[in-house]
Each structure stands twice: as structure tokens, then as C-alpha cells.
Amino acid sequence: MEAVERLPKTTPLRFCSVRDGVREAASGTAGKILLVSDGGCFRLAEAAQAPKTLCVVLEGDALPLFAMADEVGCVIAAGGKQTLWAARYFAQAVRARCVLFPDSAALDGAYERFGCVLVGGERCTVPLGRGEVLCDMSLVRPTLARGYCRLLLAWLAAFEARAAHRLDLAADTSLCERAVGALGDLSDGGGSSVILRNAALRGLEGEGFPTGEGSVLAEALGGEFPEWGAVVALTALYGAFFSRGRPSGRIPDYRARARASGVPYRALAIPTPEQYARRALLLERARAQCLAELATFKAAKSKYFDRVCGLAGAAPPAFCGMETLKYLPERGGGLSALIRDFGLMEF
């Protein structure tokens, strides 16, 4: 229940079946109801027999929605992030009520303030209208383990931001404290708790809480269960760095790393000699405090693993993305970038 009490007012969420949500919207809407789904969600098609409903299955481009703009009073969308973004963009354009059923326990697509939407073959970053977020547990249950891992990555993001602050790499950490408060006891909680905590985090991310380089690593890893791999890799990397890491004196070949990672060289933030020296000094001052925080997380790692296995019904695969981790500094630009600058990412 702690996660419910901590849920910010800016991130309302209600548990409801898709069928009941469509029925409720139909009774309270004067105009037509547009049901928007993607190829992975068929529950809206089952509800399309309700009066005044139109059903659209999106295949990426949001343009077909605008062909149905006349008299639409409510848009109900179920599916992944791109589908929810397209529905929110369209609902805002036609000033219609918007109801969202995410298919991800992390609630991707439901709370972001901006999104990249494909319209008429062109991809544009646009502001997104807010929607009423409803959660059908039968829809999100297959993703609960990945949603739980997103909570673990959020803790690591808060740790990364606090460590960066101590190393003169970041400024404000107030949102990090709020995020850690919203996470509560990570070894506890059922499926609904995973949903509610993710809702709180998505709201804080809208206010500026960083997603951290764990989300970047998970996306780069891909595969069936990349979030747990990112948790394992970053816990080991940060632990090794604050335990034994010191400036090696070797200057990384930034140009070669940029080429290998596919990132423009000009996009890299390379420290000046003065910044390098200052961060080396600050590392020694911050080492003990960072290790103490990380030790708490690592001590509970076996409980987290058991929780992931329980939610997934199987053990996640072992981490096997060392080459991806090696070039995380160029893609993520977070704490791993400092580790790179000290010449410690050339494994």
C-alpha cells in the first residue's frame, strides 16, 4: 500500500478491465468512440461491438487516425508505447477524451510529455496530451518481471545521479530522493505494486528525474530480458569502480571509440585537464559514501533475483553483452563516461 500512498497526483492510475473501460466510456461519451490498438493487443477488437465504436489497428503511422476525426468524442488506446503516443497525439489534436491501456507493466507511452510519432511517413517529436491511464492486469501480467526490473534500474539511476553530483558532474538531486521514496522496499510487493511504483516513476521522469544509463544499456542489449542484464552489468561496473577504480593515466582513444559506437565524435563530452584532476580528487572523497549506498543494493540482489524469477516464471538469461557495455559511455554519457575518462573501460 505504500506505493499507492506515494503515487503523485500528476500520475493517476486505475485498475480496470478493457471491456469495462470501453463500456464506461461509451456511457459517458456523446460522440463516437475510436478504439486504437496494435498488432499485439486484440482485447479492444473484442469490445468493438459496443455502440458508437470504430476500431483501428495501427501499423506504425498515425495518419489513418485523422481520417476518422469527425465526431470522435473519446479515443481508447491499448498497446505499446508507439500506439499510445499516436493516440494521445490524435486525441489532443481533435480535443477528444483519451483513455489508455498500456500493455507494459512499466507503463511506457502513458505519461511522457513528448513522443516521437510517425505521421504521413515523417517522424516528428511532438507534445502529447494527457490521458486517463487504466490498467488491465491480464494485459500487463506477462511484462511484470520486466516492469520490476525497471524499478531496479530506477534505483541505479538515482544512485548514478547522486554519485555524479558528488563528482561535480550533475547539479540537483531532489528528484532522486523522491524517486527512492516512491520505490520503497524493492524486495517486497505484488504485481499491482510494480504497476503503481512505475506510475510514480514515470511521473517523476516527466518532471526531470533521469532514466539513467541503465535504460540506454537495456535498449542497446535488446533481446528477451535486457533490463535484468543491465541491472547485473551496472551493479558490477559501479561496484568495481568505487571499490578499486583510480585514474589509470591512459587517455582513451575517443575518436576510435566514437567510430566503434556509431556516435559522432563531436557529441562526446571530453573533460579538460582541470576537470579530470578535480574529478579524480572528488572520487576519493565520494568513494566511501557511494560504496555504502551500493552495498545496500547489492546485499539484497539475491532477493531481487528471486522476485524476478517469481514474476517471470523462469530465471532470466545470464548477461552476455560486454561489447555493448564497453561502449555505453558514448551512448549513455553517464557515470560510465567518467569511468571511460579514467581509462578504465578498455576491457
Side-chain angles (χ1 to χ4, degrees):
M1 293 302 294
E2 290 181 346
V4 178
E5 295 169 1
R6 294 190 181 108
L7 191 63
K9 293 181 179 179
T10 54
T11 56
L13 180 141
R14 183 161 57 90
F15 292 93
C16 173
S17 71
V18 171
R19 185 177 295 276
D20 288 345
V22 173
R23 185 182 297 116
E24 180 184 296
S27 65
T29 301
K32 295 176 183 177
I33 298 173
L34 180 61
L35 307 179
V36 183
S37 64
D38 52 37
C41 182
F42 302 101
R43 286 174 175 79
L44 277 183
E46 297 171 1
Q49 297 177 1
K52 305 182 297 182
T53 58
L54 302 170
C55 191
V56 176
V57 177
L58 281 188
E59 297 181 351
D61 202 310
L63 189 60
L65 298 180
F66 289 88
M68 304 185 181
D70 293 343
E71 301 179 14
V72 171
C74 180
V75 180
I76 304 178
K81 179 169 65 176
Q82 294 296 329
T83 298
L84 300 189
W85 279 357
R88 291 172 61 191
Y89 174 62
F90 170 73
Q92 178 174 249
V94 299
R95 299 184 179 181
R97 177 186 176 190
C98 187
V99 179
L100 306 170
F101 282 95
D103 68 0
S104 158
L107 308 176
D108 290 323
Y111 292 113
E112 298 87 350
R113 294 185 178 182
F114 294 86
C116 190
V117 179
L118 184 66
V119 184
E122 294 188 13
R123 197 165 288 280
C124 311
T125 299
V126 295
L128 301 170
R130 292 183 61 183
E132 303 166 40
V133 185
L134 305 183
C135 181
D136 185 330
M137 285 300 294
S138 66
L139 186 60
V140 302
R141 188 169 287 113
T143 67
L144 282 174
R146 295 184 67 174
Y148 177 74
C149 287
R150 289 283 289 275
L151 303 182
L152 301 179
L153 288 177
W155 189 95
L156 286 171
F159 169 81
E160 179 191 351
R162 288 194 299 261
H165 177 69
R166 295 176 188 129
L167 296 166
D168 197 27
L169 296 170
D172 184 33
T173 60
S174 59
L175 285 175
C176 295
E177 308 314 318
R178 290 171 59 190
V180 171
L183 287 169
D185 182 359
L186 285 169
S187 61
D188 189 25
S192 61
S193 178
V194 170
I195 304 294
L196 290 167
R197 295 178 194 189
N198 269 292
L201 289 168
R202 300 295 85 77
L204 289 171
E205 287 166 4
E207 295 181 42
F209 174 63
T211 57
E213 56 189 5
S215 62
V216 178
L217 178 58
E219 185 175 350
L221 287 172
E224 186 177 350
F225 214 127
E227 294 86 0
W228 178 252
V231 170
V232 170
L234 290 186
T235 303
L237 178 67
Y238 296 161
F241 176 61
F242 286 109
S243 295
R244 302 180 297 277
R246 287 176 174 77
S248 67
R250 298 189 300 271
I251 299 176
D253 188 337
Y254 288 102
R255 291 189 181 277
R257 291 185 61 92
R259 284 195 301 270
S261 62
V263 174
Y265 173 73
R266 63 181 179 276
L268 302 186
I270 302 173
T272 65
E274 293 76 17
Q275 289 173 325
Y276 183 97
R278 175 170 170 74
R279 290 167 188 172
L281 176 63
L282 291 174
L283 171 61
E284 297 308 317
R285 296 178 182 176
R287 190 185 299 275
Q289 191 172 4
C290 290
L291 274 176
E293 289 181 7
L294 196 58
T296 304
F297 184 81
K298 293 176 71 175
K301 191 176 173 184
S302 62
K303 294 182 181 179
Y304 302 154
F305 181 77
D306 292 341
R307 189 81 190 102
V308 170
C309 294
L311 290 170
F319 177 75
C320 56
M322 291 301 290
E323 190 70 9
T324 304
L325 179 63
K326 177 177 179 177
Y327 294 105
L328 177 62
E330 285 69 34
R331 300 187 178 105
L335 190 55
S336 66
L338 176 68
I339 303 175
R340 172 204 62 195
D341 295 337
F342 285 168
L344 302 174
M345 291 293 285
E346 303 306 317
F347 46 77

